Amino acid sequence: MLKRICFFSGDITRGGGTERLATRIMNALVQDGSYQVSVLNICMAHKQIFPLDSKIYKHALSEHWIDVGPGYFKIYPLLISYLKEQHVDILVDIDNVLDILSIPAARICGIKVISWDNFSYDFASSIWYRPLIRQLSVRFADQIVVLGNHDKEAYLQNFNMEKKPVVICNPVPDPNPSIRKNFNEKIIVSAGRLVKLKGFASIPQIVSILKKKNRDLKFRWLIAGQGEEKEKIEEEIRKYDTPEVELCGFISNMSAFYQKGLVFVLTSSTEGLPMVVLEALSNGLPCLSYPISGELNEVLHDGENGYFVDNNEEMAERLLQLLTDENLYQNMHQKALQIPQEYTMPYVIQQWKELFESLK
Protein backbone atom coordinates (compact mmCIF):
# COMPACT_ATOMS: atom_id res chain seq x y z
CA MET A 1 0.00 0.00 0.00
CA LEU A 2 1.20 3.50 -0.83
CA LYS A 3 2.33 5.63 2.08
CA ARG A 4 -0.25 8.31 2.85
CA ILE A 5 1.20 11.83 3.00
CA CYS A 6 -1.04 14.65 4.21
CA PHE A 7 0.02 18.28 3.79
CA PHE A 8 -1.52 20.57 6.44
CA SER A 9 -2.20 24.14 5.32
CA GLY A 10 -3.89 27.23 6.68
CA ASP A 11 -5.70 27.62 3.36
CA ILE A 12 -4.27 26.05 0.21
CA THR A 13 -6.65 28.16 -1.91
CA ARG A 14 -4.80 31.38 -1.08
CA GLY A 15 -2.60 32.96 -3.75
CA GLY A 16 0.68 33.29 -1.84
CA GLY A 17 4.12 31.91 -2.60
CA THR A 18 3.82 29.27 0.12
CA GLU A 19 0.66 27.89 -1.45
CA ARG A 20 2.17 27.94 -4.95
CA LEU A 21 5.21 26.06 -3.69
CA ALA A 22 3.18 23.48 -1.78
CA THR A 23 0.86 22.72 -4.71
CA ARG A 24 3.84 22.18 -7.01
CA ILE A 25 5.42 19.74 -4.53
CA MET A 26 2.16 17.86 -4.00
CA ASN A 27 1.46 17.59 -7.73
CA ALA A 28 4.96 16.28 -8.40
CA LEU A 29 4.69 13.67 -5.64
CA VAL A 30 1.36 12.41 -6.98
CA GLN A 31 2.67 12.28 -10.54
CA ASP A 32 5.69 10.34 -9.29
CA GLY A 33 3.24 7.65 -8.18
CA SER A 34 5.08 6.73 -4.98
CA TYR A 35 2.60 8.20 -2.48
CA GLN A 36 -1.04 8.90 -1.83
CA VAL A 37 -1.26 12.65 -1.22
CA SER A 38 -3.95 14.77 0.44
CA VAL A 39 -4.14 18.34 1.73
CA LEU A 40 -5.90 19.31 4.95
CA ASN A 41 -6.76 22.96 5.63
CA ILE A 42 -7.97 25.13 8.47
CA CYS A 43 -10.42 26.48 5.88
CA MET A 44 -10.77 26.86 2.11
CA ALA A 45 -12.10 30.37 1.66
CA HIS A 46 -11.35 30.89 -2.03
CA LYS A 47 -11.52 29.20 -5.39
CA GLN A 48 -8.42 27.08 -5.91
CA ILE A 49 -5.88 29.45 -7.50
CA PHE A 50 -2.95 27.13 -8.14
CA PRO A 51 -4.06 23.91 -9.85
CA LEU A 52 -4.03 20.71 -7.84
CA ASP A 53 -3.92 17.25 -9.36
CA SER A 54 -7.38 15.65 -9.24
CA LYS A 55 -5.92 12.70 -7.29
CA ILE A 56 -5.17 15.00 -4.32
CA TYR A 57 -8.00 14.93 -1.80
CA LYS A 58 -8.81 18.29 -0.19
CA HIS A 59 -10.57 18.83 3.13
CA ALA A 60 -11.18 21.76 5.52
CA LEU A 61 -11.67 21.64 9.29
CA SER A 62 -13.66 24.89 9.39
CA GLU A 63 -15.84 26.99 7.11
CA HIS A 64 -14.04 30.14 8.26
CA TRP A 65 -10.48 31.24 9.00
CA ILE A 66 -9.30 30.73 12.59
CA ASP A 67 -6.42 32.75 14.00
CA VAL A 68 -3.75 31.14 16.16
CA GLY A 69 -5.22 30.97 19.66
CA PRO A 70 -8.20 29.58 21.58
CA GLY A 71 -10.14 28.94 18.36
CA TYR A 72 -7.82 26.04 17.64
CA PHE A 73 -9.38 24.08 20.52
CA LYS A 74 -12.60 23.76 18.50
CA ILE A 75 -10.94 22.10 15.53
CA TYR A 76 -8.46 19.93 17.43
CA PRO A 77 -10.90 16.97 17.78
CA LEU A 78 -11.75 17.30 14.08
CA LEU A 79 -8.07 17.07 13.21
CA ILE A 80 -7.68 13.85 15.20
CA SER A 81 -10.76 12.35 13.55
CA TYR A 82 -9.48 13.23 10.08
CA LEU A 83 -6.03 11.72 10.68
CA LYS A 84 -7.56 8.49 11.94
CA GLU A 85 -10.23 8.22 9.23
CA GLN A 86 -7.75 8.89 6.42
CA HIS A 87 -5.09 6.58 7.91
CA VAL A 88 -2.44 9.26 7.45
CA ASP A 89 1.16 8.07 7.82
CA ILE A 90 3.02 11.41 7.68
CA LEU A 91 1.65 14.90 8.28
CA VAL A 92 3.59 17.77 6.70
CA ASP A 93 2.85 21.17 8.22
CA ILE A 94 3.22 23.74 5.44
CA ASP A 95 3.40 26.48 8.07
CA ASN A 96 5.11 25.47 11.31
CA VAL A 97 2.54 27.48 13.30
CA LEU A 98 0.30 24.48 12.63
CA ASP A 99 2.66 22.35 14.72
CA ILE A 100 0.76 23.52 17.79
CA LEU A 101 -2.20 21.49 16.49
CA SER A 102 -0.52 18.66 14.63
CA ILE A 103 2.16 17.53 17.08
CA PRO A 104 -0.19 16.59 19.96
CA ALA A 105 -2.72 15.15 17.50
CA ALA A 106 -0.05 13.06 15.80
CA ARG A 107 1.06 11.61 19.13
CA ILE A 108 -2.48 10.44 19.78
CA CYS A 109 -2.78 8.98 16.28
CA GLY A 110 0.69 7.44 16.19
CA ILE A 111 1.86 9.22 13.03
CA LYS A 112 4.93 11.26 12.03
CA VAL A 113 5.07 15.06 11.76
CA ILE A 114 7.33 17.12 9.51
CA SER A 115 7.53 20.79 10.39
CA TRP A 116 8.17 22.63 7.10
CA ASP A 117 9.48 26.09 8.02
CA ASN A 118 8.61 28.21 4.99
CA PHE A 119 9.50 31.51 6.67
CA SER A 120 12.98 32.86 7.23
CA TYR A 121 14.24 32.20 10.75
CA ASP A 122 14.76 35.93 11.38
CA PHE A 123 11.31 36.96 10.18
CA ALA A 124 9.48 34.28 12.16
CA SER A 125 11.37 35.27 15.30
CA SER A 126 9.83 38.75 15.12
CA ILE A 127 6.27 37.44 15.64
CA TRP A 128 5.73 36.72 19.33
CA TYR A 129 4.03 33.34 19.10
CA ARG A 130 6.29 31.80 16.42
CA PRO A 131 9.41 31.38 18.63
CA LEU A 132 7.23 29.67 21.26
CA ILE A 133 5.77 27.24 18.73
CA ARG A 134 9.24 26.71 17.25
CA GLN A 135 10.41 25.37 20.64
CA LEU A 136 7.60 22.81 20.47
CA SER A 137 8.63 21.89 16.93
CA VAL A 138 12.28 21.43 17.81
CA ARG A 139 11.45 19.14 20.71
CA PHE A 140 8.62 17.04 19.31
CA ALA A 141 8.46 17.18 15.49
CA ASP A 142 9.95 14.12 13.82
CA GLN A 143 11.86 16.35 11.41
CA ILE A 144 12.18 20.04 10.56
CA VAL A 145 12.62 21.14 6.95
CA VAL A 146 14.19 24.54 6.19
CA LEU A 147 14.79 26.35 2.91
CA GLY A 148 18.54 26.84 3.12
CA ASN A 149 21.76 26.74 5.10
CA HIS A 150 21.24 30.15 6.72
CA ASP A 151 18.13 28.91 8.52
CA LYS A 152 19.69 25.53 9.30
CA GLU A 153 22.60 27.24 11.06
CA ALA A 154 20.18 29.54 12.93
CA TYR A 155 18.34 26.49 14.31
CA LEU A 156 21.56 24.78 15.34
CA GLN A 157 22.88 27.91 17.04
CA ASN A 158 19.71 28.57 19.00
CA PHE A 159 18.59 25.06 19.93
CA ASN A 160 20.12 21.89 21.28
CA MET A 161 18.72 19.51 18.66
CA GLU A 162 18.89 15.74 18.50
CA LYS A 163 18.19 15.85 14.75
CA LYS A 164 19.66 18.47 12.46
CA PRO A 165 17.14 20.31 10.24
CA VAL A 166 16.96 19.03 6.68
CA VAL A 167 17.56 21.58 3.92
CA ILE A 168 15.18 21.18 0.97
CA CYS A 169 15.26 24.10 -1.42
CA ASN A 170 12.31 25.58 -3.27
CA PRO A 171 12.13 24.13 -6.80
CA VAL A 172 12.09 26.46 -9.79
CA PRO A 173 10.85 25.85 -13.32
CA ASP A 174 13.57 24.55 -15.63
CA PRO A 175 15.48 27.52 -17.07
CA ASN A 176 14.97 28.11 -20.78
CA PRO A 177 18.35 29.01 -22.34
CA SER A 178 16.58 29.99 -25.56
CA ILE A 179 14.81 32.92 -23.87
CA ARG A 180 15.67 36.13 -25.69
CA LYS A 181 14.88 39.50 -24.15
CA ASN A 182 13.86 42.54 -26.21
CA PHE A 183 16.21 45.12 -24.73
CA ASN A 184 14.27 47.94 -26.39
CA GLU A 185 11.08 47.09 -24.45
CA LYS A 186 12.15 48.19 -20.99
CA ILE A 187 9.83 46.54 -18.49
CA ILE A 188 10.66 46.14 -14.79
CA VAL A 189 8.59 43.58 -12.90
CA SER A 190 7.79 42.83 -9.25
CA ALA A 191 5.40 40.30 -7.73
CA GLY A 192 3.91 39.29 -4.39
CA ARG A 193 1.11 40.01 -1.97
CA LEU A 194 0.37 43.71 -1.70
CA VAL A 195 1.17 43.96 2.00
CA LYS A 196 3.39 46.36 3.93
CA LEU A 197 6.15 43.79 4.45
CA LYS A 198 6.69 43.55 0.68
CA GLY A 199 7.52 47.26 0.36
CA PHE A 200 5.73 47.91 -2.92
CA ALA A 201 4.71 51.39 -1.76
CA SER A 202 8.36 52.45 -2.19
CA ILE A 203 8.32 51.75 -5.94
CA PRO A 204 6.80 55.10 -7.07
CA GLN A 205 9.55 56.95 -5.22
CA ILE A 206 12.22 54.78 -6.90
CA VAL A 207 10.62 55.51 -10.27
CA SER A 208 10.64 59.23 -9.52
CA ILE A 209 14.38 59.09 -8.77
CA LEU A 210 15.02 57.03 -11.91
CA LYS A 211 13.18 59.55 -14.09
CA LYS A 212 15.26 62.40 -12.69
CA LYS A 213 18.46 60.51 -13.51
CA ASN A 214 17.43 60.00 -17.14
CA ARG A 215 14.44 61.99 -18.38
CA ASP A 216 14.57 60.37 -21.83
CA LEU A 217 14.32 56.79 -20.57
CA LYS A 218 10.99 55.15 -21.44
CA PHE A 219 10.01 52.20 -19.26
CA ARG A 220 7.16 50.51 -17.36
CA TRP A 221 7.10 48.84 -13.95
CA LEU A 222 4.52 46.06 -13.61
CA ILE A 223 3.48 44.72 -10.19
CA ALA A 224 1.64 41.37 -10.01
CA GLY A 225 -0.38 40.65 -6.87
CA GLN A 226 -3.27 41.73 -4.74
CA GLY A 227 -3.74 42.74 -1.12
CA GLU A 228 -4.62 45.43 1.39
CA GLU A 229 -1.81 47.82 0.37
CA LYS A 230 -3.32 48.44 -3.08
CA GLU A 231 -4.84 51.81 -2.19
CA LYS A 232 -1.64 52.93 -0.45
CA ILE A 233 0.43 52.08 -3.54
CA GLU A 234 -2.06 53.88 -5.80
CA GLU A 235 -1.81 56.91 -3.52
CA GLU A 236 1.99 56.87 -3.86
CA ILE A 237 1.69 56.58 -7.66
CA ARG A 238 -0.40 59.76 -7.69
CA LYS A 239 1.88 61.52 -5.19
CA TYR A 240 5.02 60.96 -7.26
CA ASP A 241 3.23 61.26 -10.64
CA THR A 242 4.52 57.89 -11.84
CA PRO A 243 2.03 56.38 -14.33
CA GLU A 244 4.86 54.05 -15.34
CA VAL A 245 3.89 51.93 -12.31
CA GLU A 246 1.02 49.55 -13.12
CA LEU A 247 -0.81 47.28 -10.68
CA CYS A 248 -1.68 44.11 -12.61
CA GLY A 249 -3.64 42.25 -9.92
CA PHE A 250 -3.49 38.46 -9.68
CA ILE A 251 -1.65 36.84 -12.60
CA SER A 252 -2.41 33.17 -13.27
CA ASN A 253 0.38 32.68 -15.84
CA MET A 254 3.41 33.98 -13.98
CA SER A 255 5.87 32.54 -16.51
CA ALA A 256 4.38 34.76 -19.23
CA PHE A 257 4.53 37.70 -16.81
CA TYR A 258 8.25 37.18 -16.12
CA GLN A 259 8.99 36.78 -19.82
CA LYS A 260 7.66 40.30 -20.43
CA GLY A 261 10.25 41.79 -18.11
CA LEU A 262 13.90 42.71 -18.39
CA VAL A 263 14.61 43.07 -14.67
CA PHE A 264 12.95 41.83 -11.45
CA VAL A 265 12.94 43.94 -8.28
CA LEU A 266 12.29 42.65 -4.75
CA THR A 267 11.39 45.48 -2.36
CA SER A 268 10.68 43.36 0.74
CA SER A 269 12.10 44.30 4.13
CA THR A 270 12.49 40.63 5.07
CA GLU A 271 12.12 37.30 3.25
CA GLY A 272 13.16 33.68 3.47
CA LEU A 273 13.82 32.26 0.03
CA PRO A 274 11.21 34.04 -2.11
CA MET A 275 9.78 31.96 -4.93
CA VAL A 276 9.34 35.09 -7.03
CA VAL A 277 13.13 35.58 -7.20
CA LEU A 278 13.77 31.94 -8.11
CA GLU A 279 11.11 32.09 -10.82
CA ALA A 280 12.43 35.40 -12.15
CA LEU A 281 15.98 34.03 -12.36
CA SER A 282 14.79 30.90 -14.17
CA ASN A 283 13.21 33.23 -16.74
CA GLY A 284 16.50 35.04 -17.23
CA LEU A 285 15.76 38.20 -15.25
CA PRO A 286 18.58 39.82 -13.28
CA CYS A 287 17.23 40.59 -9.80
CA LEU A 288 17.66 43.57 -7.50
CA SER A 289 16.98 43.46 -3.78
CA TYR A 290 17.74 45.22 -0.53
CA PRO A 291 20.23 43.27 1.64
CA ILE A 292 17.67 41.24 3.59
CA SER A 293 18.74 38.33 5.79
CA GLY A 294 17.78 34.80 4.91
CA GLU A 295 18.40 32.38 2.06
CA LEU A 296 18.34 34.95 -0.76
CA ASN A 297 22.14 35.25 -0.59
CA GLU A 298 22.40 31.62 -1.70
CA VAL A 299 20.85 32.33 -5.12
CA LEU A 300 21.32 36.07 -5.74
CA HIS A 301 25.00 36.94 -6.21
CA ASP A 302 25.83 40.62 -6.18
CA GLY A 303 27.30 41.82 -9.46
CA GLU A 304 26.70 38.48 -11.21
CA ASN A 305 22.98 37.76 -11.64
CA GLY A 306 21.75 40.91 -9.93
CA TYR A 307 22.52 43.43 -7.23
CA PHE A 308 21.94 44.05 -3.56
CA VAL A 309 21.30 47.74 -2.93
CA ASP A 310 21.17 49.75 0.29
CA ASN A 311 18.52 52.37 -0.52
CA ASN A 312 16.12 53.74 -3.13
CA GLU A 313 18.79 55.98 -4.65
CA GLU A 314 21.09 53.03 -5.30
CA MET A 315 18.16 50.94 -6.55
CA ALA A 316 17.40 53.60 -9.17
CA GLU A 317 21.09 53.84 -10.15
CA ARG A 318 21.43 50.07 -10.65
CA LEU A 319 18.20 49.94 -12.64
CA LEU A 320 19.47 52.72 -14.87
CA GLN A 321 22.66 50.76 -15.55
CA LEU A 322 20.78 47.58 -16.45
CA LEU A 323 18.25 49.38 -18.65
CA THR A 324 20.84 51.34 -20.64
CA ASP A 325 23.94 49.11 -20.83
CA GLU A 326 23.03 46.17 -23.08
CA ASN A 327 26.35 44.34 -22.66
CA LEU A 328 26.02 44.46 -18.87
CA TYR A 329 22.40 43.34 -19.12
CA GLN A 330 23.03 40.38 -21.44
CA ASN A 331 25.87 39.13 -19.23
CA MET A 332 23.62 39.17 -16.14
CA HIS A 333 20.73 37.68 -18.13
CA GLN A 334 22.85 34.63 -19.03
CA LYS A 335 24.08 34.19 -15.45
CA ALA A 336 20.51 34.40 -14.14
CA LEU A 337 19.69 31.27 -16.12
CA GLN A 338 22.39 29.24 -14.34
CA ILE A 339 20.21 27.66 -11.62
CA PRO A 340 22.01 25.27 -9.20
CA GLN A 341 20.95 21.60 -9.29
CA GLU A 342 19.48 21.67 -5.77
CA TYR A 343 16.70 23.99 -7.00
CA THR A 344 15.53 21.68 -9.79
CA MET A 345 12.27 19.79 -9.31
CA PRO A 346 13.65 16.21 -9.75
CA TYR A 347 16.33 16.89 -7.13
CA VAL A 348 13.85 18.45 -4.69
CA ILE A 349 11.33 15.62 -5.05
CA GLN A 350 14.05 13.02 -4.49
CA GLN A 351 14.97 14.79 -1.24
CA TRP A 352 11.34 14.73 -0.07
CA LYS A 353 11.08 11.02 -0.91
CA GLU A 354 14.26 10.24 1.00
CA LEU A 355 12.91 12.16 3.99
CA PHE A 356 9.60 10.29 3.93
CA GLU A 357 11.36 6.93 3.71
CA SER A 358 13.64 7.82 6.63
CA LEU A 359 10.66 8.24 8.97
CA LYS A 360 9.97 4.67 9.96
PDB file of all heavy atoms in Angstrom, residues 230-247:
ATOM      1  N   LYS A 230      -3.068  47.931  -1.725  1.00  0.00           N
ATOM      2  CA  LYS A 230      -3.316  48.442  -3.079  1.00  0.00           C
ATOM      3  C   LYS A 230      -3.602  49.937  -3.081  1.00  0.00           C
ATOM      4  O   LYS A 230      -3.009  50.694  -3.867  1.00  0.00           O
ATOM      5  CB  LYS A 230      -4.485  47.680  -3.712  1.00  0.00           C
ATOM      6  CG  LYS A 230      -4.796  48.159  -5.133  1.00  0.00           C
ATOM      7  CD  LYS A 230      -5.983  47.426  -5.735  1.00  0.00           C
ATOM      8  CE  LYS A 230      -6.284  47.962  -7.126  1.00  0.00           C
ATOM      9  NZ  LYS A 230      -7.492  47.328  -7.718  1.00  0.00           N
ATOM     10  N   GLU A 231      -4.492  50.391  -2.214  1.00  0.00           N
ATOM     11  CA  GLU A 231      -4.839  51.815  -2.191  1.00  0.00           C
ATOM     12  C   GLU A 231      -3.646  52.668  -1.796  1.00  0.00           C
ATOM     13  O   GLU A 231      -3.455  53.770  -2.341  1.00  0.00           O
ATOM     14  CB  GLU A 231      -6.015  52.053  -1.234  1.00  0.00           C
ATOM     15  CG  GLU A 231      -7.329  51.484  -1.745  1.00  0.00           C
ATOM     16  CD  GLU A 231      -8.498  51.822  -0.832  1.00  0.00           C
ATOM     17  OE1 GLU A 231      -8.295  52.594   0.137  1.00  0.00           O
ATOM     18  OE2 GLU A 231      -9.594  51.312  -1.092  1.00  0.00           O
ATOM     19  N   LYS A 232      -2.834  52.191  -0.873  1.00  0.00           N
ATOM     20  CA  LYS A 232      -1.642  52.927  -0.455  1.00  0.00           C
ATOM     21  C   LYS A 232      -0.675  53.084  -1.629  1.00  0.00           C
ATOM     22  O   LYS A 232      -0.105  54.159  -1.854  1.00  0.00           O
ATOM     23  CB  LYS A 232      -0.965  52.187   0.701  1.00  0.00           C
ATOM     24  CG  LYS A 232       0.412  52.700   1.089  1.00  0.00           C
ATOM     25  CD  LYS A 232       0.374  54.097   1.671  1.00  0.00           C
ATOM     26  CE  LYS A 232       1.741  54.521   2.176  1.00  0.00           C
ATOM     27  NZ  LYS A 232       1.764  55.932   2.621  1.00  0.00           N
ATOM     28  N   ILE A 233      -0.473  52.027  -2.387  1.00  0.00           N
ATOM     29  CA  ILE A 233       0.432  52.080  -3.541  1.00  0.00           C
ATOM     30  C   ILE A 233      -0.120  53.039  -4.593  1.00  0.00           C
ATOM     31  O   ILE A 233       0.628  53.849  -5.174  1.00  0.00           O
ATOM     32  CB  ILE A 233       0.636  50.673  -4.135  1.00  0.00           C
ATOM     33  CG1 ILE A 233       1.250  49.742  -3.085  1.00  0.00           C
ATOM     34  CG2 ILE A 233       1.528  50.727  -5.374  1.00  0.00           C
ATOM     35  CD1 ILE A 233       1.188  48.279  -3.452  1.00  0.00           C
ATOM     36  N   GLU A 234      -1.440  52.963  -4.841  1.00  0.00           N
ATOM     37  CA  GLU A 234      -2.058  53.880  -5.800  1.00  0.00           C
ATOM     38  C   GLU A 234      -1.898  55.332  -5.360  1.00  0.00           C
ATOM     39  O   GLU A 234      -1.671  56.230  -6.191  1.00  0.00           O
ATOM     40  CB  GLU A 234      -3.535  53.521  -5.971  1.00  0.00           C
ATOM     41  CG  GLU A 234      -3.750  52.201  -6.702  1.00  0.00           C
ATOM     42  CD  GLU A 234      -5.195  51.774  -6.734  1.00  0.00           C
ATOM     43  OE1 GLU A 234      -5.973  52.194  -5.831  1.00  0.00           O
ATOM     44  OE2 GLU A 234      -5.572  51.022  -7.649  1.00  0.00           O
ATOM     45  N   GLU A 235      -2.007  55.553  -4.070  1.00  0.00           N
ATOM     46  CA  GLU A 235      -1.814  56.906  -3.520  1.00  0.00           C
ATOM     47  C   GLU A 235      -0.381  57.392  -3.781  1.00  0.00           C
ATOM     48  O   GLU A 235      -0.165  58.556  -4.144  1.00  0.00           O
ATOM     49  CB  GLU A 235      -2.100  56.880  -2.018  1.00  0.00           C
ATOM     50  CG  GLU A 235      -1.957  58.211  -1.322  1.00  0.00           C
ATOM     51  CD  GLU A 235      -2.177  58.088   0.177  1.00  0.00           C
ATOM     52  OE1 GLU A 235      -3.086  57.321   0.579  1.00  0.00           O
ATOM     53  OE2 GLU A 235      -1.448  58.748   0.938  1.00  0.00           O
ATOM     54  N   GLU A 236       0.605  56.515  -3.610  1.00  0.00           N
ATOM     55  CA  GLU A 236       1.993  56.874  -3.862  1.00  0.00           C
ATOM     56  C   GLU A 236       2.246  57.118  -5.357  1.00  0.00           C
ATOM     57  O   GLU A 236       3.042  57.984  -5.725  1.00  0.00           O
ATOM     58  CB  GLU A 236       2.927  55.772  -3.346  1.00  0.00           C
ATOM     59  CG  GLU A 236       2.931  55.600  -1.837  1.00  0.00           C
ATOM     60  CD  GLU A 236       3.439  56.845  -1.125  1.00  0.00           C
ATOM     61  OE1 GLU A 236       4.615  57.197  -1.319  1.00  0.00           O
ATOM     62  OE2 GLU A 236       2.654  57.472  -0.381  1.00  0.00           O
ATOM     63  N   ILE A 237       1.569  56.363  -6.206  1.00  0.00           N
ATOM     64  CA  ILE A 237       1.690  56.580  -7.659  1.00  0.00           C
ATOM     65  C   ILE A 237       1.227  57.991  -8.015  1.00  0.00           C
ATOM     66  O   ILE A 237       1.880  58.700  -8.796  1.00  0.00           O
ATOM     67  CB  ILE A 237       0.877  55.521  -8.434  1.00  0.00           C
ATOM     68  CG1 ILE A 237       1.524  54.135  -8.281  1.00  0.00           C
ATOM     69  CG2 ILE A 237       0.783  55.900  -9.921  1.00  0.00           C
ATOM     70  CD1 ILE A 237       0.692  52.998  -8.843  1.00  0.00           C
ATOM     71  N   ARG A 238       0.112  58.404  -7.436  1.00  0.00           N
ATOM     72  CA  ARG A 238      -0.396  59.763  -7.694  1.00  0.00           C
ATOM     73  C   ARG A 238       0.542  60.814  -7.090  1.00  0.00           C
ATOM     74  O   ARG A 238       0.827  61.845  -7.714  1.00  0.00           O
ATOM     75  CB  ARG A 238      -1.805  59.910  -7.121  1.00  0.00           C
ATOM     76  CG  ARG A 238      -2.866  59.088  -7.858  1.00  0.00           C
ATOM     77  CD  ARG A 238      -4.269  59.457  -7.400  1.00  0.00           C
ATOM     78  NE  ARG A 238      -4.500  59.068  -6.009  1.00  0.00           N
ATOM     79  CZ  ARG A 238      -4.984  57.884  -5.641  1.00  0.00           C
ATOM     80  NH1 ARG A 238      -5.275  56.976  -6.564  1.00  0.00           N
ATOM     81  NH2 ARG A 238      -5.174  57.604  -4.368  1.00  0.00           N
ATOM     82  N   LYS A 239       1.016  60.555  -5.885  1.00  0.00           N
ATOM     83  CA  LYS A 239       1.875  61.516  -5.189  1.00  0.00           C
ATOM     84  C   LYS A 239       3.150  61.815  -5.980  1.00  0.00           C
ATOM     85  O   LYS A 239       3.559  62.983  -6.089  1.00  0.00           O
ATOM     86  CB  LYS A 239       2.239  60.950  -3.810  1.00  0.00           C
ATOM     87  CG  LYS A 239       3.232  61.789  -3.025  1.00  0.00           C
ATOM     88  CD  LYS A 239       3.567  61.116  -1.684  1.00  0.00           C
ATOM     89  CE  LYS A 239       4.667  61.857  -0.937  1.00  0.00           C
ATOM     90  NZ  LYS A 239       5.005  61.184   0.343  1.00  0.00           N
ATOM     91  N   TYR A 240       3.752  60.786  -6.543  1.00  0.00           N
ATOM     92  CA  TYR A 240       5.016  60.959  -7.261  1.00  0.00           C
ATOM     93  C   TYR A 240       4.815  61.101  -8.769  1.00  0.00           C
ATOM     94  O   TYR A 240       5.808  61.223  -9.504  1.00  0.00           O
ATOM     95  CB  TYR A 240       5.959  59.791  -6.965  1.00  0.00           C
ATOM     96  CG  TYR A 240       6.542  59.836  -5.572  1.00  0.00           C
ATOM     97  CD1 TYR A 240       5.991  59.069  -4.541  1.00  0.00           C
ATOM     98  CD2 TYR A 240       7.620  60.661  -5.269  1.00  0.00           C
ATOM     99  CE1 TYR A 240       6.518  59.111  -3.253  1.00  0.00           C
ATOM    100  CE2 TYR A 240       8.158  60.711  -3.986  1.00  0.00           C
ATOM    101  CZ  TYR A 240       7.598  59.940  -2.988  1.00  0.00           C
ATOM    102  OH  TYR A 240       8.124  59.999  -1.711  1.00  0.00           O
ATOM    103  N   ASP A 241       3.553  61.102  -9.215  1.00  0.00           N
ATOM    104  CA  ASP A 241       3.230  61.255 -10.643  1.00  0.00           C
ATOM    105  C   ASP A 241       4.019  60.242 -11.478  1.00  0.00           C
ATOM    106  O   ASP A 241       4.827  60.592 -12.341  1.00  0.00           O
ATOM    107  CB  ASP A 241       3.533  62.686 -11.109  1.00  0.00           C
ATOM    108  CG  ASP A 241       3.047  62.935 -12.543  1.00  0.00           C
ATOM    109  OD1 ASP A 241       2.127  62.220 -12.984  1.00  0.00           O
ATOM    110  OD2 ASP A 241       3.614  63.828 -13.210  1.00  0.00           O
ATOM    111  N   THR A 242       3.767  58.967 -11.192  1.00  0.00           N
ATOM    112  CA  THR A 242       4.518  57.885 -11.845  1.00  0.00           C
ATOM    113  C   THR A 242       3.555  56.896 -12.509  1.00  0.00           C
ATOM    114  O   THR A 242       3.370  55.770 -12.024  1.00  0.00           O
ATOM    115  CB  THR A 242       5.418  57.152 -10.835  1.00  0.00           C
ATOM    116  OG1 THR A 242       4.614  56.727  -9.708  1.00  0.00           O
ATOM    117  CG2 THR A 242       6.528  58.063 -10.347  1.00  0.00           C
ATOM    118  N   PRO A 243       2.926  57.307 -13.625  1.00  0.00           N
ATOM    119  CA  PRO A 243       2.025  56.380 -14.328  1.00  0.00           C
ATOM    120  C   PRO A 243       2.749  55.173 -14.906  1.00  0.00           C
ATOM    121  O   PRO A 243       2.102  54.220 -15.360  1.00  0.00           O
ATOM    122  CB  PRO A 243       1.435  57.262 -15.440  1.00  0.00           C
ATOM    123  CG  PRO A 243       2.450  58.341 -15.652  1.00  0.00           C
ATOM    124  CD  PRO A 243       3.048  58.598 -14.303  1.00  0.00           C
ATOM    125  N   GLU A 244       4.087  55.212 -14.888  1.00  0.00           N
ATOM    126  CA  GLU A 244       4.857  54.046 -15.345  1.00  0.00           C
ATOM    127  C   GLU A 244       4.596  52.818 -14.475  1.00  0.00           C
ATOM    128  O   GLU A 244       4.817  51.682 -14.912  1.00  0.00           O
ATOM    129  CB  GLU A 244       6.358  54.361 -15.318  1.00  0.00           C
ATOM    130  CG  GLU A 244       6.805  55.452 -16.269  1.00  0.00           C
ATOM    131  CD  GLU A 244       6.644  56.853 -15.702  1.00  0.00           C
ATOM    132  OE1 GLU A 244       6.130  57.000 -14.568  1.00  0.00           O
ATOM    133  OE2 GLU A 244       7.036  57.810 -16.391  1.00  0.00           O
ATOM    134  N   VAL A 245       4.159  53.029 -13.235  1.00  0.00           N
ATOM    135  CA  VAL A 245       3.887  51.926 -12.314  1.00  0.00           C
ATOM    136  C   VAL A 245       2.468  51.422 -12.537  1.00  0.00           C
ATOM    137  O   VAL A 245       1.505  52.190 -12.430  1.00  0.00           O
ATOM    138  CB  VAL A 245       4.063  52.364 -10.846  1.00  0.00           C
ATOM    139  CG1 VAL A 245       3.809  51.185  -9.907  1.00  0.00           C
ATOM    140  CG2 VAL A 245       5.452  52.938 -10.623  1.00  0.00           C
ATOM    141  N   GLU A 246       2.326  50.134 -12.836  1.00  0.00           N
ATOM    142  CA  GLU A 246       1.020  49.545 -13.125  1.00  0.00           C
ATOM    143  C   GLU A 246       0.754  48.366 -12.187  1.00  0.00           C
ATOM    144  O   GLU A 246       1.577  47.453 -12.080  1.00  0.00           O
ATOM    145  CB  GLU A 246       0.953  49.064 -14.576  1.00  0.00           C
ATOM    146  CG  GLU A 246       1.234  50.157 -15.602  1.00  0.00           C
ATOM    147  CD  GLU A 246       1.281  49.618 -17.017  1.00  0.00           C
ATOM    148  OE1 GLU A 246       0.572  48.621 -17.303  1.00  0.00           O
ATOM    149  OE2 GLU A 246       2.041  50.172 -17.838  1.00  0.00           O
ATOM    150  N   LEU A 247      -0.380  48.394 -11.518  1.00  0.00           N
ATOM    151  CA  LEU A 247      -0.807  47.276 -10.677  1.00  0.00           C
ATOM    152  C   LEU A 247      -1.599  46.307 -11.545  1.00  0.00           C
ATOM    153  O   LEU A 247      -2.658  46.656 -12.066  1.00  0.00           O
ATOM    154  CB  LEU A 247      -1.645  47.782  -9.503  1.00  0.00           C
ATOM    155  CG  LEU A 247      -0.942  48.755  -8.551  1.00  0.00           C
ATOM    156  CD1 LEU A 247      -1.886  49.160  -7.430  1.00  0.00           C
ATOM    157  CD2 LEU A 247       0.328  48.153  -7.988  1.00  0.00           C
TER     158      LEU A 247
END
